[in-house]
Amino acid sequence: MNKTILTLFILYLVLIPVQAVVFNNLILFNVAIPIVFIYVIISLPMTIGTNVALTIGFFTGLTMDIFMDTAGMNALACTVLAFVRRPVYHLYTTPEDDAMGMMPGTRTMGTAAYLKYLFSMTLIYCLTLFSVEAFQFRNLPLMMLRMACSTAFSFIILLAVSAFVRTRKPSMHGA
Amino acid sequence: MNEFFNFFHRHSKWLVFLIYVILSCVLLVKSSPYQQHVYLTSANTVASAVYGGANNVTSYFNLRQNNEDLNRRNAELQAEVIHLQQRLQDLSEKYGTDTMRLDSTVMPFRFIVAHVINNSVARPYNYLTINKGSADGVKPEWGVIDQNGVVGIVSNVGTHSARVISLLNPNFRLSCKIKGSEYFGSLVWDGNDPRMALLEELPRHTQFTPGDTIVTSGYSAVFPAGIPVGVIEDSGDHRAENFFTLHIRLLSDFTGLNNVQVVVNNLRQELKELESTDDNGETKKYPVN
């Protein structure tokens, strides 16, 4: 459990600057922006309570807002993401799976379930974020295109990140 | 009473969720970028350190294009200097030398050279971060230009960094005119293409041809008159309106910004002080003898 928290903290310290410096400049055709720092929230173990997850989500989003000058937009979307995390997770798994205190991943959830969970979370995040943008700026077709392309692009990059970060399977002789 | 606490305990996640949503919304609707505290912008110490570090690497990427732009600008300015010297020579021969001497008070503008360390072009409201701040004398509401034209206006200032509202931000309207005429309009970004902007509220009887240059009008104290902004691409559909809305191709390449200059208007400070004393009815700053 402690190791998981340490992993998550390192992920936060690495992914936020990398998002700000690399992924925010990796825009395809001026529509698709890869959003990768949400991996921190997606990977929170289910043993972490919703209140704590909401707090982590809000402050992760706020950090990103400060870097991106988007004042509250990412904070709002991350709060929503942290809130729906558990219901979305339980759509694809049974409740007894989440007692182990591990990060959701292909090895802990099974590949199919994890892919569905990852895609749903990415879609929810992009939906929230681009809906908020659509309120500020009325070009709905362009916003829809941005949302769809960003979801797809983020999903691909998030897959790569989750393949890179090792999620340990519970072993009988301890971790 | 126990029931009451139980209720909150059972629904605490909704409560926490609501608190954070409300906090986010407060940040979101505080619309004016000038009102934000500098800690909540990319001009704060940590963010600017991260961006500054990355910029040490990425600033080399566009050097060739930047050099070409600077060379071209240099040639233009050289030609202008020669032209003005010629004119000064002609006039001083005509009127006598002494009356033509330039005083520093009629040259109110100077420039602080800065580097762009963070930039965005794909969001509805774009900002950029530069590596000069209050320690270098940068102040809010000062203009920012590069060798090609107008870039933006400073909104929040940290010690060694400042956040600039990009021209690609609908919060920023710029008073512009067509070079060589006195008709002016308001330039604003429509949020679609980082290379294009709209010049609105141009009077219907304005004469222009596509390809004409758009320059700053100089009606605000932020930018000197005559800084190039863009060229007219075409005029949109405007049969029923009293004003033209023109599509402008911007001269600054916002995707590859690197070297910029902050415009310092020495007279502007005086103007502001005068205005503020007027508002408060105070005159003690200026002793009357």
Side-chain angles (χ1 to χ4, degrees):
Chain A
M1 187 68 188
N2 280 332
K3 214 164 177 180
T4 312
I5 289 171
L6 187 71
T7 314
L8 280 169
F9 188 64
I10 292 170
L11 272 177
Y12 170 85
L13 286 184
V14 171
L15 282 181
I16 296 257
V18 168
Q19 174 79 43
V21 170
V22 181
F23 291 120
N24 279 345
N25 296 313
L26 209 72
I27 302 163
L28 286 189
F29 312 112
N30 210 23
V31 286
I33 305 171
I35 301 161
V36 179
F37 76 98
I38 52 170
Y39 186 71
V40 177
I41 299 159
I42 291 175
S43 303
L44 288 177
M46 288 303 141
T47 38
I48 289 182
T50 306
N51 288 347
V52 180
L54 280 168
T55 310
I56 294 171
F58 176 76
F59 285 102
T60 308
L62 192 67
T63 322
M64 209 57 241
D65 276 331
I66 289 169
F67 273 93
M68 288 168 75
D69 283 314
T70 45
M73 210 185 280
N74 285 298
L76 181 64
C78 282
T79 308
V80 172
L81 194 68
F83 191 68
V84 300
R85 177 185 66 110
R86 194 185 293 273
V88 170
Y89 184 83
H90 286 159
L91 280 180
Y92 310 119
T93 53
T94 47
E96 55 264 28
D97 285 350
D98 58 339
M100 309 303 288
M102 291 164 315
M103 289 159 56
T106 46
R107 272 181 257 184
T108 53
M109 286 173 78
T111 310
Y114 182 67
L115 288 187
K116 281 188 250 178
Y117 169 71
L118 189 66
F119 184 76
S120 310
M121 293 293 269
T122 316
L123 183 67
I124 288 165
Y125 189 82
C126 289
L127 263 173
T128 325
L129 188 74
F130 288 98
S131 308
V132 176
E133 280 199 356
F135 270 110
Q136 297 186 336
F137 164 68
R138 293 174 190 85
N139 187 339
L140 213 58
L142 184 66
M143 275 296 138
M144 300 288 276
L145 186 69
R146 276 186 186 169
M147 198 190 71
C149 295
S150 297
T151 307
F153 196 18
S154 305
F155 179 64
I156 293 166
I157 305 266
L158 280 169
L159 269 184
V161 172
S162 56
F164 189 73
V165 179
R166 208 161 60 97
T167 50
R168 280 166 301 111
K169 200 175 175 66
S171 58
M172 288 301 146
H173 36 268
Chain B
M1 203 62 191
N2 224 2
E3 203 106 318
F4 183 74
F5 283 119
N6 263 341
F7 175 83
F8 273 111
H9 186 70
R10 261 185 295 129
H11 298 279
S12 66
K13 65 173 183 180
W14 285 97
L15 207 71
V16 176
F17 177 63
L18 265 179
I19 290 169
Y20 286 133
V21 166
I22 289 167
L23 268 175
S24 311
C25 289
V26 166
L27 286 172
L28 260 174
V29 296
K30 216 162 56 169
S31 57
S32 166
Y34 297 104
Q35 286 173 6
Q36 273 162 19
H37 199 279
V38 70
Y39 290 126
L40 288 179
T41 71
S42 59
N44 77 32
T45 320
V46 178
S48 61
V50 170
Y51 284 131
N55 182 253
N56 283 339
V57 180
T58 55
S59 61
Y60 294 99
F61 291 173
N62 293 311
L63 274 188
R64 183 183 290 269
Q65 183 62 40
N66 276 322
N67 269 332
E68 269 167 30
D69 286 347
L70 285 169
N71 262 335
R72 190 182 42 71
R73 184 70 183 148
N74 198 17
E76 280 172 17
L77 291 174
Q78 200 111 43
E80 205 171 322
V81 165
I82 291 168
H83 172 74
L84 287 173
Q85 275 174 346
Q86 195 77 51
R87 185 147 173 76
L88 195 66
Q89 184 81 33
D90 292 351
L91 286 171
S92 60
E93 276 169 14
K94 204 168 165 188
Y95 296 111
T97 332
D98 285 352
T99 51
M100 295 309 298
R101 210 162 285 292
L102 278 175
D103 194 342
S104 67
T105 51
V106 298
M107 297 193 287
F109 292 102
R110 78 188 162 81
F111 301 96
I112 299 170
V113 177
H115 285 283
V116 174
I117 55 174
N118 170 43
N119 187 15
S120 72
V121 296
R123 287 196 281 270
Y125 291 79
N126 293 297
Y127 295 92
L128 43 107
T129 319
I130 59 172
N131 67 345
K132 291 285 161 73
S134 56
D136 309 282
V138 176
K139 295 217 170 68
E141 295 182 46
W142 280 3
V144 179
I145 62 172
D146 78 342
Q147 66 270 19
N148 297 315
V150 170
V151 169
I153 185 166
V154 177
S155 72
N156 302 77
V157 180
T159 323
H160 295 290
S161 54
R163 187 181 69 158
V164 177
I165 305 173
S166 170
L167 191 58
L168 307 180
N169 188 323
N171 279 329
F172 179 32
R173 294 185 86 92
L174 180 68
S175 172
C176 287
K177 64 183 181 188
I178 297 168
K179 196 176 182 178
S181 87
E182 287 307 313
Y183 300 112
F184 66 95
S186 177
L187 189 97
V188 69
W189 188 55
D190 58 353
N192 292 327
D193 186 341
R195 292 163 299 177
M196 306 293 290
L198 300 176
L199 184 63
E200 295 176 339
E201 296 159 29
L202 203 65
R204 188 114 174 84
H205 53 273
T206 312
Q207 301 276 320
F208 65 87
T209 44
D212 281 358
T213 309
I214 303 296
V215 298
T216 51
S217 66
Y219 292 156
S220 72
V222 179
F223 293 104
I227 302 268
V229 178
V231 290
I232 300 175
E233 183 89 350
D234 64 76
S235 50
D237 188 28
H238 46 71
R239 265 162 284 175
E241 292 155 27
N242 286 326
F243 294 101
F244 279 133
T245 296
L246 306 181
H247 292 274
I248 306 296
R249 179 167 291 279
L250 296 169
L251 286 173
S252 295
D253 175 15
F254 282 86
T255 52
L257 285 179
N258 189 6
N259 302 300
V260 294
Q261 292 99 47
V262 181
V263 182
V264 185
N265 184 348
N266 297 324
L267 295 184
R268 180 191 156 86
Q269 291 305 104
E270 274 175 47
L271 264 172
K272 277 217 129 176
E273 275 171 31
L274 271 175
E275 280 169 7
S276 68
T277 49
D278 255 347
D279 285 349
N280 305 330
E282 289 172 10
T283 49
K284 57 188 169 201
K285 270 189 198 167
Y286 302 93
V288 192
N289 301 325

